[in-house]
């Protein structure tokens, strides 16, 4: 016998503070922008003016030491996750953003 589902599939079981939710949202938008700009580049369009939310993300995370290595790490993470992303799956986008968020927290406390 199939067990009834006790909660909706889209229900978040962990409630994050607003600042963290905003940070993850901004990272998700950066991934989405990266996916779209890479596709446009592939089609021959200039994407030099594509949005970049990294300064906001780093500020919300309290990362003061913004080295070239940090930016390279962040943009590599965006590229890596944007390649695999299916834009029709919003849940997947936020999972990838949360992963990058955690990686940035590790970066913050290791440096």
């Amino acid at each position: 016998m199939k067990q009834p589902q006790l909660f909706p599939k889209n229900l978040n079981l962990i409630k994050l503070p607003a600042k963290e939710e905003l940070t993850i949202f901004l990272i998700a938008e950066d991934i989405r922008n990266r996916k779209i700009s890479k596709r446009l580049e592939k089609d021959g369009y200039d994407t030099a003016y594509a949005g970049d939310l990294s300064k906001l993300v780093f500020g919300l995370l309290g990362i003061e030491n913004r080295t070239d290595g940090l930016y390279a790490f962040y943009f590599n993470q965006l590229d890596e996750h944007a390649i695999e992303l299916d834009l029709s799956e919003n849940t997947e986008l936020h999972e990838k953003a949360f992963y990058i968020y955690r990686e940035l927290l590790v970066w913050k406390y290791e440096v």
Side-chain angles (χ1 to χ4, degrees), residues 28-29 31-32 35 81 84-97:
E29 291 306 306
I31 296 170
R32 184 188 322 266
K35 175 77 172 186
H81 290 284
E84 308 164 353
L85 180 66
D86 177 7
L87 287 175
S88 66
E89 294 294 325
N90 211 26
T91 304
E92 179 185 2
L93 175 63
H94 290 287
E95 287 173 0
K96 291 178 180 303

Side-chain angles (χ1 to χ4, degrees), residues 45-64:
Y45 292 96
D46 180 18
T47 60
Y49 300 106
D52 172 18
L53 302 172
S54 61
K55 289 181 183 179
L56 287 171
V57 169
F58 299 157
L60 286 168
L61 283 169
I63 298 175
E64 304 271 334

Side-chain angles (χ1 to χ4, degrees), residues 7 27 80:
F7 52 87
I27 294 169
E80 181 181 312

